[in-house]
Amino acid sequence: MLKPAARLERVGDGVRQVIEIVVSDGYHPAHIEARTGVPIRIVFMRRDDHACSDRVVFSEPRLERRLAPHATTIVDLPPVHGREIRFTCGMGRYRGRIQILSPQASGTGARIRGIAALARAAAVAVAAGLWLVLAAGATNPERVVLAAVAVAAVLGVLATRRRAAARPHRRP
């Protein structure tokens, strides 16, 4: 299960993502979501004395940090534009990953695209409804509105099914 980055923090003119990870017989949480293009600060809170938890090694960017026992260690990562960052302990026994979400996967971008799709569907529905009513020779305004609403409903159902079928399935 992916956990969103804990919080956004203002830094000068911009923001950074802050992720808190407890190190105790592994990384908790071990799977995290973060935004693309935003710097990441990871706060490791080491709670055990195992030799496996004394180092953390990152895949991208390639770096390694020592984790002080029973203390907090901060690792700052530059903005990432890849898919994910993997990190392990020095022995490879403890593993974690930060899934980097594209702007399309963020909530605001998805809402804007959803609203735009709805507006396009409404425009098509009104045009199709008008065409159907005029082709049938009806001039009654109530019939025009009812036809447009019916076409909009059908297009809405089709768009929802298409979007659901195209949505990637996440593995737990």
Side-chain angles (χ1 to χ4, degrees):
M1 178 93 181
L2 294 176
K3 178 186 179 197
R7 65 183 184 275
L8 289 177
E9 185 178 85
R10 287 214 171 273
V11 179
D13 294 345
V15 295
R16 74 173 155 221
Q17 301 168 88
V18 179
I19 300 168
E20 295 179 349
I21 298 176
V22 175
V23 183
S24 177
D25 291 324
Y27 299 121
H28 307 283
H31 304 289
I32 304 147
E33 291 180 342
R35 297 178 187 176
T36 187
V38 180
I40 300 171
R41 170 169 278 186
I42 305 173
V43 180
F44 286 98
M45 296 170 282
R46 185 174 170 198
R47 302 285 186 248
D48 65 23
D49 292 319
H50 293 98
C52 201
S53 63
D54 70 349
R55 286 188 308 152
V56 63
V57 180
F58 288 88
S59 65
E60 186 66 34
R62 291 205 175 270
L63 61 97
E64 177 181 325
R65 294 286 188 269
R66 291 245 176 242
L67 302 178
H70 302 284
T72 298
T73 304
I74 294 174
V75 178
D76 287 319
L77 301 177
V80 178
H81 298 285
R83 289 183 167 178
E84 74 178 9
I85 300 169
R86 292 189 178 268
F87 55 96
T88 66
C89 66
M91 298 177 193
R93 200 172 110 205
Y94 298 170
R95 296 180 183 177
R97 69 181 171 136
I98 303 171
Q99 185 73 37
I100 306 299
L101 300 178
S102 66
Q104 293 82 15
S106 70
T108 303
R111 281 192 295 271
I112 290 171
R113 280 190 312 285
I115 291 168
L118 183 60
R120 283 192 304 271
V124 168
V126 169
L130 287 172
W131 181 82
L132 286 172
V133 169
L134 293 175
T139 56
N140 187 346
E142 289 85 18
R143 287 188 182 175
V144 172
V145 171
L146 286 174
V149 168
V151 171
V154 169
L155 287 175
V157 168
L158 292 176
T160 302
R161 286 185 180 176
R162 181 175 157 223
R163 208 173 321 130
R167 187 176 302 136
H169 297 286
R170 290 189 179 210
R171 290 184 288 172

